[in-house]
């Protein structure tokens, strides 16, 4: 990417919509490549190495969930998933395979561009603790979270979390006695520049509980604090 230009891959089988998104992004100085089905999305992502993928959920060939799953085997690009459906399960499945956020159609192109810019301001990896000191492993019963290695285990077995799932769990475990609201979790995991539907936190919590083998009705790890948000169950 010459001159520091950031490359974005837009994947949507609605060719006209993909073109509109691309035109808005190009006006903002991004380099844009397009794909209109699942197989070509993977091929283009391998060739273009984008920093971010705008990915429609419903695609010919194979869907956006499968694209995201395959993408995560070779790329750490941000994934912003587009869905025309309000089904919570679609969001959970998309985020659980590695999407970072979602936007529900219909949406305004300017809003989408702003969401993309906010996402790209987010650090791509954990920063090293100041002074070179390492953060201790956090333990909550059989759950262990290592903030430095960015690993999570339950009963000694590794749990495969997405980057965002880990960041949400890290935010909760950093203040284990506190009940954190959605905005507090977003600022810790996404950064203060993020905006959009704050209920994205609920979707990630649901995915986390599934992977951790947790039960919202009788939680071992993540508790719901009604009217506030979420917190950790004391270990």
């Amino acid at each position: 990417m010459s001159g520091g230009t950031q490359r974005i891959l837009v994947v949507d089988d609605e060719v006209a919509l993909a073109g509109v998104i691309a035109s808005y992004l190009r006006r903002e100085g991004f380099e844009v490549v397009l794909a209109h089905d699942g197989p070509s999305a993977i091929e283009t992502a391998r060739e273009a190495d984008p920093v971010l993928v705008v990915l429609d959920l419903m695609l010919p060939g194979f869907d956006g969930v499968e694209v995201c799953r395959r993408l995560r085997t070779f790329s750490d690009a941000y994934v912003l998933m587009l869905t025309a459906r309000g089904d919570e399960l679609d969001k959970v499945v998309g985020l659980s395979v590695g999407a970072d956020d979602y936007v529900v159609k219909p949406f305004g192109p300017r809003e989408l561009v702003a969401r993309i810019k906010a996402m790209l301001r987010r650090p791509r990896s954990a920063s090293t603790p100041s002074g070179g000191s390492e953060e201790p492993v956090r333990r909550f019963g059989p759950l262990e979270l290592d903030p430095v290695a960015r690993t999570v285990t339950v009963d000694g077995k590794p749990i495969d979390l997405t980057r965002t799932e880990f960041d949400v769990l890290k935010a909760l475990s950093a203040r284990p006695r506190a009940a954190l609201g959605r905005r507090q979790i977003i600022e810790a995991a996404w950064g203060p520049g993020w905006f959009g539907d704050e209920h994205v936190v609920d979707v990630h919590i649901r995915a986390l509980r599934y992977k951790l083998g947790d039960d919202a009705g009788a939680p071992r790890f993540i508790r719901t604090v009604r009217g506030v948000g979420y917190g950790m169950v004391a270990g």
Side-chain angles (χ1 to χ4, degrees):
M1 285 173 275
S2 61
T5 302
Q6 293 177 299
R7 184 178 296 135
I8 294 176
L9 169 60
V10 177
V11 186
D12 200 309
D13 63 336
E14 296 182 52
V15 177
L17 176 58
V20 169
I21 294 171
S23 67
Y24 273 84
L25 288 169
R26 286 172 179 141
R27 288 177 203 169
E28 296 295 329
F30 295 104
E31 181 181 342
V32 183
V33 290
L34 299 172
H36 304 297
D37 58 57
S40 65
I42 294 300
E43 181 180 354
T44 305
R46 288 187 183 277
E47 294 175 355
D49 189 24
V51 296
L52 185 144
V53 180
V54 179
L55 178 62
D56 190 31
L57 180 63
M58 301 302 294
L59 294 169
F62 44 79
D63 66 14
V65 171
E66 183 61 22
V67 171
C68 193
R69 184 180 289 114
R70 297 189 188 195
L71 186 69
R72 282 292 172 249
T73 65
F74 64 88
S75 173
D76 194 37
Y78 289 111
V79 175
L80 181 61
M81 188 162 278
L82 308 180
T83 174
R85 295 181 286 182
D87 189 346
E88 190 82 353
L89 181 59
D90 288 334
K91 300 170 187 175
V92 170
V93 171
L95 296 179
S96 69
V97 296
D100 296 282
D101 201 355
Y102 64 86
V103 174
V104 177
K105 294 181 179 180
F107 53 83
R110 289 185 179 86
E111 176 194 353
L112 182 66
V113 171
R115 291 280 288 275
I116 288 169
K117 286 183 173 181
M119 184 174 288
L120 290 174
R121 288 194 293 268
R122 179 182 170 194
R124 290 175 64 83
S125 60
S127 58
T128 303
S130 59
S133 60
E134 292 195 353
E135 297 180 68
V137 173
R138 303 170 187 175
R139 295 180 173 85
F140 301 87
L143 184 153
E144 293 189 357
L145 181 147
D146 188 328
V148 178
R150 291 183 66 85
T151 58
V152 173
T153 62
V154 173
D155 294 318
K157 298 178 181 178
I159 306 298
D160 184 20
L161 300 182
T162 68
R163 171 178 50 207
T164 304
E165 288 166 357
F166 182 89
D167 289 343
V168 169
L169 189 61
K170 181 181 177 183
L172 291 173
S173 63
R175 299 176 60 190
R177 296 180 59 191
L180 303 183
R182 293 186 185 94
R183 174 48 56 179
Q184 289 175 289
I185 296 170
I186 284 170
E187 290 186 356
W190 280 263
W194 185 93
F195 73 96
D197 182 4
E198 293 186 1
H199 286 86
V200 67
V201 172
D202 303 338
V203 180
H204 281 289
I205 292 290
R206 185 171 170 183
L208 267 171
R209 282 173 167 157
Y210 175 78
K211 290 186 177 182
L212 297 174
D214 207 1
D215 181 350
R220 293 195 297 164
F221 308 125
I222 301 173
R223 58 193 171 96
T224 299
V225 183
R226 296 193 181 280
V228 180
Y230 302 97
M232 297 297 292
V233 175

